[in-house]
């Protein structure tokens, strides 16, 4: 009788929980200062406030759904309670309007709601052996960029914030290629990161006078600490997977692509066994380690005048004159190839500043 009463009481408490509590994502996903005009998005539903995570039924299970990829840059494979999202935006997985729009639209489908079932784990991987996620489309930084291009930045910021705000799903980056610039910013805002032998990481915006404005600086600081983040950011360093593991940028690295895939799949399957309400509360509880929304918004506000200055617009024009942002030697060599065009003698720069971290024998850095 006591057990029946306890279950009935628990059910009564659950029934009192609101299905739409607060305006968290209105404040935390799409900054008001960057309205979305391209393929307009409806206002995000209110999910939860800052004092409690989204309530979940303990019997809730993930069922098949059919997420959309309007531009075809994402494909989906569902296994149990996990979904693998494969990124394929040839030739370099550039963060252009196509890829950003597809990512943004997909993440919107993961926002919990009454009676809605979502995956416990989402794994992001790449179909491109050389690139996981490349940088933000430089065309979008031009002062005469179209509204479609300028909306890219708004959606990029929105993607990063949903990766954090959707506490009912754990996001895992499976990286076995280059991730730099905006791609590095997005991966650093995923919940876990694992890498293979072909992975390289760079937050290289400082080398061209910009900054990692979509959360990259703030999340790096909270992930690897201020001193290491300062070195990585200010020197626009390129590091490999072993170094990234050592400094805490990623969880672990593996010696082969197959081992990487096997380990990540096994982790996702294990997480998928357990109740989603526990996952939800754990991710929510650890959000105190993230930079605040106010800090992220202040970074955006500081970036706008930097990006629009004549000096930075000249750098944008020069970059686009050198690179068409395709699968070129230049893009595969970023940041070093860009540093060479701007500052000369890349060999000296590589050994003293940029590539000192890419070998385990280097003891000058980190």
């Amino acid at each position: 009788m006591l057990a029946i009463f306890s279950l009935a009481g628990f059910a009564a408490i659950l029934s009192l929980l609101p299905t739409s509590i607060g305006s968290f994502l209105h404040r935390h996903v799409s900054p008001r200062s960057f309205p979305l005009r391209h393929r307009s998005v409806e206002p995000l539903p209110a999910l939860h406030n800052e004092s409690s995570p989204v309530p979940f039924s303990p019997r809730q299970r993930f069922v098949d759904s059919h997420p959309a990829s309007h531009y075809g840059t994402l494909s989906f494979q569902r296994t149990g309670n996990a979904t693998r999202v494969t990124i394929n935006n040839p030739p370099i997985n550039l963060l252009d309007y196509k890829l950003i729009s597809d990512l943004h639209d997909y993440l919107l489908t993961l926002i919990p709601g009454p009676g809605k079932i979502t995956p416990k784990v989402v794994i992001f991987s790449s179909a491109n052996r050389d690139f996981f996620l490349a940088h933000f489309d430089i065309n979008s930084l031009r002062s005469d960029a179209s509204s479609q291009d300028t909306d890219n930045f708004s959606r990029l910021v929105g993607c990063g914030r949903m990766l954090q705000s959707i506490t009912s799903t754990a996001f895992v980056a499976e990286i076995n290629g280059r991730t730099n610039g905006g791609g590095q910013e997005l991966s650093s805002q995923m919940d876990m990161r694992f890498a293979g032998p072909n992975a390289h990481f760079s937050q290289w915006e400082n080398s061209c006078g910009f900054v990692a404005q979509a959360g990259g600086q703030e999340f790096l600081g909270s992930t690897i600490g201020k001193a290491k983040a300062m070195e990585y950011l200010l020197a626009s360093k390129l590091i490999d997977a072993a170094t990234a593991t050592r400094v805490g940028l990623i969880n672990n690295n593996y010696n082969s692509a197959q081992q990487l895939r096997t380990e990540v799949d096994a982790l996702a399957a294990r997480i998928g066994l357990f109740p989603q309400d526990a996952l939800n509360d754990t991710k929510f509880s650890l959000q105190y380690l993230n930079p605040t929304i106010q800090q992220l918004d202040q970074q955006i506000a500081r970036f706008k005048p930097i990006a629009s200055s004549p000096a930075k617009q000249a750098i944008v024009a020069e970059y686009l004159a050198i690179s068409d942002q395709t699968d070129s030697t230049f893009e595969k060599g970023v940041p070093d190839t860009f540093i060479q065009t701007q500052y000369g003698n890349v060999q000296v720069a590589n050994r003293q500043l940029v590539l000192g971290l890419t070998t385990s024998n280097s003891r000058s850095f980190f």
Side-chain angles (χ1 to χ4, degrees), residues 331-363:
E331 286 293 340
K332 288 181 177 179
V334 169
D336 306 327
T337 47
F338 179 77
I339 291 173
Q340 183 177 34
T341 65
Q342 295 294 303
Y343 308 103
N345 200 352
V346 70
Q347 294 301 319
V348 174
N350 281 350
R351 286 172 170 62
Q352 295 184 358
L353 294 176
V354 183
L355 295 181
L357 294 181
T358 61
T359 64
S360 58
N361 292 328
S362 175
R363 300 179 181 178

PDB file of all heavy atoms in Angstrom, residues 331-363:
ATOM      1  N   GLU A 331      43.993  25.948 -48.387  1.00  0.00           N
ATOM      2  CA  GLU A 331      43.046  25.659 -47.317  1.00  0.00           C
ATOM      3  C   GLU A 331      43.536  24.512 -46.439  1.00  0.00           C
ATOM      4  O   GLU A 331      43.333  24.529 -45.219  1.00  0.00           O
ATOM      5  CB  GLU A 331      41.673  25.334 -47.899  1.00  0.00           C
ATOM      6  CG  GLU A 331      40.924  26.542 -48.428  1.00  0.00           C
ATOM      7  CD  GLU A 331      40.501  27.523 -47.340  1.00  0.00           C
ATOM      8  OE1 GLU A 331      40.447  27.119 -46.153  1.00  0.00           O
ATOM      9  OE2 GLU A 331      40.231  28.696 -47.665  1.00  0.00           O
ATOM     10  N   LYS A 332      44.208  23.538 -47.030  1.00  0.00           N
ATOM     11  CA  LYS A 332      44.738  22.437 -46.226  1.00  0.00           C
ATOM     12  C   LYS A 332      45.899  22.888 -45.353  1.00  0.00           C
ATOM     13  O   LYS A 332      46.226  22.215 -44.370  1.00  0.00           O
ATOM     14  CB  LYS A 332      45.185  21.294 -47.134  1.00  0.00           C
ATOM     15  CG  LYS A 332      44.034  20.525 -47.762  1.00  0.00           C
ATOM     16  CD  LYS A 332      44.532  19.381 -48.633  1.00  0.00           C
ATOM     17  CE  LYS A 332      43.374  18.576 -49.189  1.00  0.00           C
ATOM     18  NZ  LYS A 332      43.823  17.473 -50.059  1.00  0.00           N
ATOM     19  N   GLY A 333      46.497  24.029 -45.710  1.00  0.00           N
ATOM     20  CA  GLY A 333      47.636  24.517 -44.946  1.00  0.00           C
ATOM     21  C   GLY A 333      47.299  25.577 -43.923  1.00  0.00           C
ATOM     22  O   GLY A 333      48.173  26.029 -43.176  1.00  0.00           O
ATOM     23  N   VAL A 334      46.021  26.007 -43.866  1.00  0.00           N
ATOM     24  CA  VAL A 334      45.616  27.006 -42.876  1.00  0.00           C
ATOM     25  C   VAL A 334      45.839  26.443 -41.471  1.00  0.00           C
ATOM     26  O   VAL A 334      45.506  25.281 -41.209  1.00  0.00           O
ATOM     27  CB  VAL A 334      44.121  27.373 -43.087  1.00  0.00           C
ATOM     28  CG1 VAL A 334      43.592  28.206 -41.918  1.00  0.00           C
ATOM     29  CG2 VAL A 334      43.928  28.123 -44.402  1.00  0.00           C
ATOM     30  N   PRO A 335      46.443  27.221 -40.550  1.00  0.00           N
ATOM     31  CA  PRO A 335      46.694  28.653 -40.623  1.00  0.00           C
ATOM     32  C   PRO A 335      48.036  29.055 -41.234  1.00  0.00           C
ATOM     33  O   PRO A 335      48.273  30.216 -41.508  1.00  0.00           O
ATOM     34  CB  PRO A 335      46.653  29.068 -39.146  1.00  0.00           C
ATOM     35  CG  PRO A 335      47.211  27.881 -38.423  1.00  0.00           C
ATOM     36  CD  PRO A 335      46.688  26.690 -39.184  1.00  0.00           C
ATOM     37  N   ASP A 336      48.927  28.098 -41.464  1.00  0.00           N
ATOM     38  CA  ASP A 336      50.295  28.444 -41.850  1.00  0.00           C
ATOM     39  C   ASP A 336      50.358  29.159 -43.201  1.00  0.00           C
ATOM     40  O   ASP A 336      51.138  30.093 -43.378  1.00  0.00           O
ATOM     41  CB  ASP A 336      51.168  27.190 -41.885  1.00  0.00           C
ATOM     42  CG  ASP A 336      51.103  26.435 -40.573  1.00  0.00           C
ATOM     43  OD1 ASP A 336      50.955  27.098 -39.534  1.00  0.00           O
ATOM     44  OD2 ASP A 336      51.174  25.199 -40.593  1.00  0.00           O
ATOM     45  N   THR A 337      49.554  28.700 -44.157  1.00  0.00           N
ATOM     46  CA  THR A 337      49.588  29.335 -45.471  1.00  0.00           C
ATOM     47  C   THR A 337      49.121  30.783 -45.405  1.00  0.00           C
ATOM     48  O   THR A 337      49.662  31.651 -46.089  1.00  0.00           O
ATOM     49  CB  THR A 337      48.718  28.552 -46.460  1.00  0.00           C
ATOM     50  OG1 THR A 337      47.436  28.270 -45.851  1.00  0.00           O
ATOM     51  CG2 THR A 337      49.380  27.241 -46.846  1.00  0.00           C
ATOM     52  N   PHE A 338      48.124  31.038 -44.565  1.00  0.00           N
ATOM     53  CA  PHE A 338      47.666  32.423 -44.431  1.00  0.00           C
ATOM     54  C   PHE A 338      48.706  33.272 -43.725  1.00  0.00           C
ATOM     55  O   PHE A 338      48.963  34.411 -44.111  1.00  0.00           O
ATOM     56  CB  PHE A 338      46.347  32.487 -43.666  1.00  0.00           C
ATOM     57  CG  PHE A 338      45.853  33.892 -43.484  1.00  0.00           C
ATOM     58  CD1 PHE A 338      45.243  34.570 -44.528  1.00  0.00           C
ATOM     59  CD2 PHE A 338      46.033  34.557 -42.282  1.00  0.00           C
ATOM     60  CE1 PHE A 338      44.811  35.880 -44.376  1.00  0.00           C
ATOM     61  CE2 PHE A 338      45.601  35.863 -42.118  1.00  0.00           C
ATOM     62  CZ  PHE A 338      44.990  36.524 -43.174  1.00  0.00           C
ATOM     63  N   ILE A 339      49.319  32.725 -42.693  1.00  0.00           N
ATOM     64  CA  ILE A 339      50.353  33.473 -41.969  1.00  0.00           C
ATOM     65  C   ILE A 339      51.496  33.838 -42.903  1.00  0.00           C
ATOM     66  O   ILE A 339      52.047  34.941 -42.837  1.00  0.00           O
ATOM     67  CB  ILE A 339      50.864  32.646 -40.767  1.00  0.00           C
ATOM     68  CG1 ILE A 339      49.758  32.538 -39.718  1.00  0.00           C
ATOM     69  CG2 ILE A 339      52.117  33.267 -40.158  1.00  0.00           C
ATOM     70  CD1 ILE A 339      50.079  31.612 -38.573  1.00  0.00           C
ATOM     71  N   GLN A 340      51.836  32.924 -43.806  1.00  0.00           N
ATOM     72  CA  GLN A 340      52.912  33.208 -44.753  1.00  0.00           C
ATOM     73  C   GLN A 340      52.552  34.379 -45.658  1.00  0.00           C
ATOM     74  O   GLN A 340      53.382  35.239 -45.936  1.00  0.00           O
ATOM     75  CB  GLN A 340      53.206  31.972 -45.596  1.00  0.00           C
ATOM     76  CG  GLN A 340      54.382  32.171 -46.561  1.00  0.00           C
ATOM     77  CD  GLN A 340      54.680  30.896 -47.334  1.00  0.00           C
ATOM     78  OE1 GLN A 340      53.778  30.130 -47.653  1.00  0.00           O
ATOM     79  NE2 GLN A 340      55.952  30.668 -47.626  1.00  0.00           N
ATOM     80  N   THR A 341      51.312  34.445 -46.123  1.00  0.00           N
ATOM     81  CA  THR A 341      50.922  35.543 -47.012  1.00  0.00           C
ATOM     82  C   THR A 341      50.940  36.877 -46.288  1.00  0.00           C
ATOM     83  O   THR A 341      51.186  37.918 -46.894  1.00  0.00           O
ATOM     84  CB  THR A 341      49.519  35.314 -47.588  1.00  0.00           C
ATOM     85  OG1 THR A 341      48.553  35.350 -46.529  1.00  0.00           O
ATOM     86  CG2 THR A 341      49.433  33.983 -48.305  1.00  0.00           C
ATOM     87  N   GLN A 342      50.705  36.850 -44.989  1.00  0.00           N
ATOM     88  CA  GLN A 342      50.614  38.096 -44.228  1.00  0.00           C
ATOM     89  C   GLN A 342      51.940  38.531 -43.614  1.00  0.00           C
ATOM     90  O   GLN A 342      52.237  39.719 -43.533  1.00  0.00           O
ATOM     91  CB  GLN A 342      49.576  37.948 -43.106  1.00  0.00           C
ATOM     92  CG  GLN A 342      48.155  37.750 -43.601  1.00  0.00           C
ATOM     93  CD  GLN A 342      47.629  38.967 -44.324  1.00  0.00           C
ATOM     94  OE1 GLN A 342      47.585  40.073 -43.789  1.00  0.00           O
ATOM     95  NE2 GLN A 342      47.249  38.787 -45.586  1.00  0.00           N
ATOM     96  N   TYR A 343      52.733  37.559 -43.188  1.00  0.00           N
ATOM     97  CA  TYR A 343      53.909  37.886 -42.382  1.00  0.00           C
ATOM     98  C   TYR A 343      55.199  37.315 -42.927  1.00  0.00           C
ATOM     99  O   TYR A 343      56.271  37.531 -42.346  1.00  0.00           O
ATOM    100  CB  TYR A 343      53.692  37.394 -40.944  1.00  0.00           C
ATOM    101  CG  TYR A 343      52.389  37.874 -40.362  1.00  0.00           C
ATOM    102  CD1 TYR A 343      51.294  37.030 -40.263  1.00  0.00           C
ATOM    103  CD2 TYR A 343      52.235  39.193 -39.939  1.00  0.00           C
ATOM    104  CE1 TYR A 343      50.082  37.465 -39.757  1.00  0.00           C
ATOM    105  CE2 TYR A 343      51.031  39.645 -39.423  1.00  0.00           C
ATOM    106  CZ  TYR A 343      49.966  38.782 -39.334  1.00  0.00           C
ATOM    107  OH  TYR A 343      48.764  39.231 -38.840  1.00  0.00           O
ATOM    108  N   GLY A 344      55.132  36.548 -44.037  1.00  0.00           N
ATOM    109  CA  GLY A 344      56.340  36.025 -44.649  1.00  0.00           C
ATOM    110  C   GLY A 344      56.971  34.904 -43.856  1.00  0.00           C
ATOM    111  O   GLY A 344      56.510  34.499 -42.795  1.00  0.00           O
ATOM    112  N   ASN A 345      58.061  34.371 -44.395  1.00  0.00           N
ATOM    113  CA  ASN A 345      58.892  33.340 -43.774  1.00  0.00           C
ATOM    114  C   ASN A 345      58.131  32.414 -42.840  1.00  0.00           C
ATOM    115  O   ASN A 345      58.351  32.377 -41.639  1.00  0.00           O
ATOM    116  CB  ASN A 345      60.056  33.978 -43.002  1.00  0.00           C
ATOM    117  CG  ASN A 345      61.182  32.957 -42.785  1.00  0.00           C
ATOM    118  OD1 ASN A 345      61.031  31.778 -43.078  1.00  0.00           O
ATOM    119  ND2 ASN A 345      62.298  33.419 -42.283  1.00  0.00           N
ATOM    120  N   VAL A 346      57.235  31.649 -43.408  1.00  0.00           N
ATOM    121  CA  VAL A 346      56.416  30.751 -42.599  1.00  0.00           C
ATOM    122  C   VAL A 346      57.247  29.680 -41.908  1.00  0.00           C
ATOM    123  O   VAL A 346      56.874  29.165 -40.866  1.00  0.00           O
ATOM    124  CB  VAL A 346      55.322  30.113 -43.471  1.00  0.00           C
ATOM    125  CG1 VAL A 346      55.910  29.117 -44.446  1.00  0.00           C
ATOM    126  CG2 VAL A 346      54.276  29.435 -42.596  1.00  0.00           C
ATOM    127  N   GLN A 347      58.410  29.335 -42.460  1.00  0.00           N
ATOM    128  CA  GLN A 347      59.235  28.311 -41.822  1.00  0.00           C
ATOM    129  C   GLN A 347      59.670  28.742 -40.430  1.00  0.00           C
ATOM    130  O   GLN A 347      59.623  27.975 -39.484  1.00  0.00           O
ATOM    131  CB  GLN A 347      60.462  28.021 -42.692  1.00  0.00           C
ATOM    132  CG  GLN A 347      60.116  27.378 -44.034  1.00  0.00           C
ATOM    133  CD  GLN A 347      59.370  26.068 -43.867  1.00  0.00           C
ATOM    134  OE1 GLN A 347      59.702  25.272 -42.997  1.00  0.00           O
ATOM    135  NE2 GLN A 347      58.360  25.838 -44.682  1.00  0.00           N
ATOM    136  N   VAL A 348      60.091  30.008 -40.310  1.00  0.00           N
ATOM    137  CA  VAL A 348      60.472  30.514 -38.992  1.00  0.00           C
ATOM    138  C   VAL A 348      59.256  30.531 -38.081  1.00  0.00           C
ATOM    139  O   VAL A 348      59.294  30.112 -36.931  1.00  0.00           O
ATOM    140  CB  VAL A 348      61.091  31.923 -39.109  1.00  0.00           C
ATOM    141  CG1 VAL A 348      61.340  32.504 -37.727  1.00  0.00           C
ATOM    142  CG2 VAL A 348      62.393  31.856 -39.896  1.00  0.00           C
ATOM    143  N   ALA A 349      58.128  31.021 -38.614  1.00  0.00           N
ATOM    144  CA  ALA A 349      56.918  31.087 -37.797  1.00  0.00           C
ATOM    145  C   ALA A 349      56.482  29.704 -37.338  1.00  0.00           C
ATOM    146  O   ALA A 349      56.113  29.507 -36.194  1.00  0.00           O
ATOM    147  CB  ALA A 349      55.789  31.759 -38.585  1.00  0.00           C
ATOM    148  N   ASN A 350      56.561  28.726 -38.233  1.00  0.00           N
ATOM    149  CA  ASN A 350      56.146  27.373 -37.880  1.00  0.00           C
ATOM    150  C   ASN A 350      56.928  26.840 -36.693  1.00  0.00           C
ATOM    151  O   ASN A 350      56.368  26.356 -35.735  1.00  0.00           O
ATOM    152  CB  ASN A 350      56.363  26.427 -39.062  1.00  0.00           C
ATOM    153  CG  ASN A 350      55.272  26.536 -40.098  1.00  0.00           C
ATOM    154  OD1 ASN A 350      54.260  27.173 -39.853  1.00  0.00           O
ATOM    155  ND2 ASN A 350      55.492  25.914 -41.238  1.00  0.00           N
ATOM    156  N   ARG A 351      58.258  26.949 -36.780  1.00  0.00           N
ATOM    157  CA  ARG A 351      59.078  26.341 -35.741  1.00  0.00           C
ATOM    158  C   ARG A 351      58.996  27.097 -34.424  1.00  0.00           C
ATOM    159  O   ARG A 351      59.077  26.504 -33.362  1.00  0.00           O
ATOM    160  CB  ARG A 351      60.527  26.253 -36.213  1.00  0.00           C
ATOM    161  CG  ARG A 351      60.707  25.148 -37.268  1.00  0.00           C
ATOM    162  CD  ARG A 351      62.060  25.143 -37.893  1.00  0.00           C
ATOM    163  NE  ARG A 351      62.318  23.981 -38.715  1.00  0.00           N
ATOM    164  CZ  ARG A 351      61.647  23.641 -39.800  1.00  0.00           C
ATOM    165  NH1 ARG A 351      60.607  24.352 -40.159  1.00  0.00           N
ATOM    166  NH2 ARG A 351      61.978  22.580 -40.507  1.00  0.00           N
ATOM    167  N   GLN A 352      58.846  28.393 -34.489  1.00  0.00           N
ATOM    168  CA  GLN A 352      58.892  29.164 -33.254  1.00  0.00           C
ATOM    169  C   GLN A 352      57.522  29.413 -32.643  1.00  0.00           C
ATOM    170  O   GLN A 352      57.413  29.537 -31.428  1.00  0.00           O
ATOM    171  CB  GLN A 352      59.592  30.495 -33.511  1.00  0.00           C
ATOM    172  CG  GLN A 352      61.064  30.328 -33.887  1.00  0.00           C
ATOM    173  CD  GLN A 352      61.778  31.646 -34.043  1.00  0.00           C
ATOM    174  OE1 GLN A 352      61.185  32.706 -33.906  1.00  0.00           O
ATOM    175  NE2 GLN A 352      63.056  31.594 -34.342  1.00  0.00           N
ATOM    176  N   LEU A 353      56.488  29.464 -33.481  1.00  0.00           N
ATOM    177  CA  LEU A 353      55.201  29.855 -32.931  1.00  0.00           C
ATOM    178  C   LEU A 353      54.076  28.869 -33.191  1.00  0.00           C
ATOM    179  O   LEU A 353      53.302  28.567 -32.300  1.00  0.00           O
ATOM    180  CB  LEU A 353      54.782  31.227 -33.502  1.00  0.00           C
ATOM    181  CG  LEU A 353      55.649  32.409 -33.095  1.00  0.00           C
ATOM    182  CD1 LEU A 353      55.164  33.656 -33.818  1.00  0.00           C
ATOM    183  CD2 LEU A 353      55.596  32.624 -31.595  1.00  0.00           C
ATOM    184  N   VAL A 354      53.990  28.367 -34.407  1.00  0.00           N
ATOM    185  CA  VAL A 354      52.756  27.719 -34.792  1.00  0.00           C
ATOM    186  C   VAL A 354      52.782  26.211 -34.619  1.00  0.00           C
ATOM    187  O   VAL A 354      51.916  25.643 -33.980  1.00  0.00           O
ATOM    188  CB  VAL A 354      52.394  28.072 -36.256  1.00  0.00           C
ATOM    189  CG1 VAL A 354      51.070  27.444 -36.629  1.00  0.00           C
ATOM    190  CG2 VAL A 354      52.336  29.576 -36.414  1.00  0.00           C
ATOM    191  N   LEU A 355      53.801  25.551 -35.162  1.00  0.00           N
ATOM    192  CA  LEU A 355      53.785  24.100 -35.189  1.00  0.00           C
ATOM    193  C   LEU A 355      54.603  23.462 -34.076  1.00  0.00           C
ATOM    194  O   LEU A 355      54.811  22.271 -34.079  1.00  0.00           O
ATOM    195  CB  LEU A 355      54.283  23.593 -36.551  1.00  0.00           C
ATOM    196  CG  LEU A 355      53.387  23.952 -37.729  1.00  0.00           C
ATOM    197  CD1 LEU A 355      53.968  23.383 -39.010  1.00  0.00           C
ATOM    198  CD2 LEU A 355      52.001  23.421 -37.515  1.00  0.00           C
ATOM    199  N   GLY A 356      55.063  24.258 -33.153  1.00  0.00           N
ATOM    200  CA  GLY A 356      55.826  23.702 -32.049  1.00  0.00           C
ATOM    201  C   GLY A 356      55.030  22.707 -31.231  1.00  0.00           C
ATOM    202  O   GLY A 356      55.593  21.893 -30.531  1.00  0.00           O
ATOM    203  N   LEU A 357      53.687  22.760 -31.335  1.00  0.00           N
ATOM    204  CA  LEU A 357      52.864  21.873 -30.540  1.00  0.00           C
ATOM    205  C   LEU A 357      52.496  20.590 -31.246  1.00  0.00           C
ATOM    206  O   LEU A 357      51.885  19.720 -30.669  1.00  0.00           O
ATOM    207  CB  LEU A 357      51.561  22.595 -30.162  1.00  0.00           C
ATOM    208  CG  LEU A 357      51.744  23.793 -29.239  1.00  0.00           C
ATOM    209  CD1 LEU A 357      50.397  24.395 -28.934  1.00  0.00           C
ATOM    210  CD2 LEU A 357      52.427  23.402 -27.959  1.00  0.00           C
ATOM    211  N   THR A 358      52.835  20.459 -32.493  1.00  0.00           N
ATOM    212  CA  THR A 358      52.305  19.332 -33.250  1.00  0.00           C
ATOM    213  C   THR A 358      53.113  18.062 -33.102  1.00  0.00           C
ATOM    214  O   THR A 358      52.733  17.041 -33.620  1.00  0.00           O
ATOM    215  CB  THR A 358      52.208  19.674 -34.742  1.00  0.00           C
ATOM    216  OG1 THR A 358      53.512  19.972 -35.257  1.00  0.00           O
ATOM    217  CG2 THR A 358      51.306  20.859 -34.964  1.00  0.00           C
ATOM    218  N   THR A 359      54.213  18.108 -32.403  1.00  0.00           N
ATOM    219  CA  THR A 359      54.972  16.883 -32.175  1.00  0.00           C
ATOM    220  C   THR A 359      55.143  16.670 -30.680  1.00  0.00           C
ATOM    221  O   THR A 359      55.243  17.616 -29.901  1.00  0.00           O
ATOM    222  CB  THR A 359      56.382  16.949 -32.819  1.00  0.00           C
ATOM    223  OG1 THR A 359      57.139  17.985 -32.183  1.00  0.00           O
ATOM    224  CG2 THR A 359      56.278  17.231 -34.299  1.00  0.00           C
ATOM    225  N   SER A 360      55.157  15.407 -30.286  1.00  0.00           N
ATOM    226  CA  SER A 360      55.269  15.095 -28.867  1.00  0.00           C
ATOM    227  C   SER A 360      56.633  15.484 -28.305  1.00  0.00           C
ATOM    228  O   SER A 360      56.807  15.554 -27.099  1.00  0.00           O
ATOM    229  CB  SER A 360      55.022  13.588 -28.647  1.00  0.00           C
ATOM    230  OG  SER A 360      55.955  12.832 -29.392  1.00  0.00           O
ATOM    231  N   ASN A 361      57.612  15.748 -29.183  1.00  0.00           N
ATOM    232  CA  ASN A 361      58.947  16.109 -28.715  1.00  0.00           C
ATOM    233  C   ASN A 361      59.052  17.588 -28.320  1.00  0.00           C
ATOM    234  O   ASN A 361      60.023  18.011 -27.738  1.00  0.00           O
ATOM    235  CB  ASN A 361      59.969  15.832 -29.809  1.00  0.00           C
ATOM    236  CG  ASN A 361      60.118  14.344 -30.071  1.00  0.00           C
ATOM    237  OD1 ASN A 361      59.968  13.555 -29.153  1.00  0.00           O
ATOM    238  ND2 ASN A 361      60.406  13.972 -31.312  1.00  0.00           N
ATOM    239  N   SER A 362      58.016  18.353 -28.674  1.00  0.00           N
ATOM    240  CA  SER A 362      58.081  19.781 -28.376  1.00  0.00           C
ATOM    241  C   SER A 362      57.772  20.010 -26.894  1.00  0.00           C
ATOM    242  O   SER A 362      56.736  19.612 -26.405  1.00  0.00           O
ATOM    243  CB  SER A 362      57.059  20.549 -29.220  1.00  0.00           C
ATOM    244  OG  SER A 362      57.053  21.899 -28.826  1.00  0.00           O
ATOM    245  N   ARG A 363      58.694  20.646 -26.230  1.00  0.00           N
ATOM    246  CA  ARG A 363      58.497  20.932 -24.812  1.00  0.00           C
ATOM    247  C   ARG A 363      58.407  22.421 -24.536  1.00  0.00           C
ATOM    248  O   ARG A 363      58.343  22.841 -23.397  1.00  0.00           O
ATOM    249  CB  ARG A 363      59.642  20.333 -23.996  1.00  0.00           C
ATOM    250  CG  ARG A 363      59.736  18.811 -24.154  1.00  0.00           C
ATOM    251  CD  ARG A 363      60.891  18.232 -23.370  1.00  0.00           C
ATOM    252  NE  ARG A 363      60.995  16.790 -23.533  1.00  0.00           N
ATOM    253  CZ  ARG A 363      61.930  16.061 -22.986  1.00  0.00           C
ATOM    254  NH1 ARG A 363      62.859  16.617 -22.221  1.00  0.00           N
ATOM    255  NH2 ARG A 363      61.953  14.743 -23.190  1.00  0.00           N
TER     256      ARG A 363
END
